[in-house]
Amino acid sequence: MAEPARNISRAQPQNAGETANQAPAQKSVAREYGEAMFIALVLAVFIRTFFVQAYKIPSGSMEPTLLVGDHILVNKIIYGLRIPDSIFGLEIPGLPLGQYVFHLAPVHRGDVVVFVFPPDRSKDFIKRVIGVAGDTIAVKNGVVWLNGSEMPDPHRHWEVAAQDRSPVSPRDNFGPVTVPPGKLLMMGDNRDRSYDGRFWGFVDLNDVEGRATVIYLPWNEEKADSASTLSDILLWFEYIRWDRLGMIVY
């Protein structure tokens, strides 16, 4: 708000180099740019931590839903506000690290979620929720059974023939187990090439970081890695699986 005119008219110079109408110092271009970059960085970190984060699929455990090289966006606020396991790599005393402050929606059976890998909390895994609390899950010759009946399982993918399945491998025959309260059972869609809950157990609800939503860059990593010449590298548009661009993850 402008200063009243009467105050300006009565002001007296305090020394020979100062006047009542002295203009405020101007920020340098470098300072303004630095402040803008700092604010942008803070916003980016905040959004990435609590709202949405990009991930790249490194393995074939979720094929054909997610392919190696797919870049996806994960909605991190859909289930509620979760404080990450650390802030800039630091464990700050007093914060409920790795816990949900509040919940917005339950995790549903069939959701494709990113979670903290129980045997190694430095890693994130992505799998499909097969069982929620109270569900009894079994695998019989590769087929998932839910609460005593064969589970509708439209996303499953098999690579092993029925006659080649093992009666002692948890990949092919598992359970039955009942999912405890506050836990989830995860499996990869590619049931024959997924290291999942059949081998290492349940996932805590607090370790769910978000739900996969969309494939924003379906990058054919195998084809791109095989590029050996400059002309091959310049054909980057051939390494995008255009038919999968923008696909919603179900």
Side-chain angles (χ1 to χ4, degrees):
M1 183 170 62
E3 191 177 22
R6 62 177 180 274
N7 291 340
I8 294 177
S9 64
R10 293 175 182 176
Q12 298 296 323
Q14 296 180 1
N15 53 55
E18 184 179 17
T19 66
N21 294 325
Q22 185 177 22
Q26 296 293 319
K27 291 183 181 179
S28 69
V29 174
R31 180 179 173 185
E32 290 183 348
Y33 178 77
E35 289 178 353
M37 289 297 293
F38 176 76
I39 293 171
L41 177 62
V42 170
L43 286 174
V45 170
F46 182 77
I47 291 170
R48 180 184 182 275
T49 301
F50 297 110
F51 289 92
V52 65
Q53 185 172 348
Y55 289 84
K56 187 183 84 168
I57 304 303
S59 75
S61 69
M62 283 296 293
E63 293 178 346
T65 304
L66 298 171
L67 305 181
V68 175
D70 280 349
H71 289 65
I72 65 171
L73 294 178
V74 171
N75 186 334
K76 302 186 77 171
I77 196 66
I78 190 168
Y79 299 125
L81 181 64
R82 179 183 184 272
I83 305 299
D85 288 4
S86 65
I87 307 295
F88 296 110
L90 301 175
E91 296 184 2
I92 303 175
L95 285 180
L97 298 174
Q99 304 287 320
Y100 274 89
V101 178
F102 58 82
H103 292 274
L104 293 175
V107 180
H108 294 98
R109 191 186 307 115
D111 288 355
V112 177
V113 303
V114 170
F115 56 92
V116 180
F117 182 43
D120 183 352
R121 297 189 63 82
S122 68
K123 298 178 180 178
D124 293 328
F125 267 33
I126 183 166
K127 304 290 181 188
R128 190 178 298 276
V129 179
I130 297 298
V132 298
D135 286 343
T136 298
I137 303 295
V139 178
K140 303 176 183 179
N141 294 321
V143 178
V144 177
W145 288 65
L146 169 66
N147 298 326
S149 302
E150 185 175 339
M151 185 182 76
D153 200 8
H155 303 285
R156 70 186 177 193
H157 175 70
W158 291 322
E159 296 183 356
V160 176
Q163 65 270 19
D164 295 328
R165 298 201 174 274
S166 167
V168 297
S169 170
R171 180 196 68 182
D172 302 323
N173 289 278
F174 165 81
V177 297
T178 299
V179 182
K183 303 290 184 179
L184 302 165
L185 184 65
M186 309 289 194
M187 292 186 192
D189 286 354
N190 189 343
R191 298 292 157 72
D192 298 327
R193 289 176 50 197
S194 177
Y195 183 52
D196 51 36
R198 293 169 291 179
F199 299 90
W200 42 256
F202 303 106
V203 170
D204 194 285
L205 273 171
N206 277 307
D207 286 338
V208 174
E209 297 181 291
R211 191 179 79 187
T213 57
V214 64
I215 301 171
Y216 73 91
L217 177 60
W219 188 253
N220 190 330
E221 190 165 277
E222 182 179 359
K223 187 174 181 180
D225 287 346
S226 66
S228 58
T229 66
L230 179 60
S231 60
D232 289 337
I233 295 172
L234 292 176
L235 294 175
W236 59 268
F237 51 87
E238 292 189 355
Y239 309 142
I240 297 176
R241 305 181 184 101
W242 293 101
D243 60 324
R244 296 174 59 79
L245 184 65
M247 280 183 57
I248 304 300
V249 180
Y250 292 108

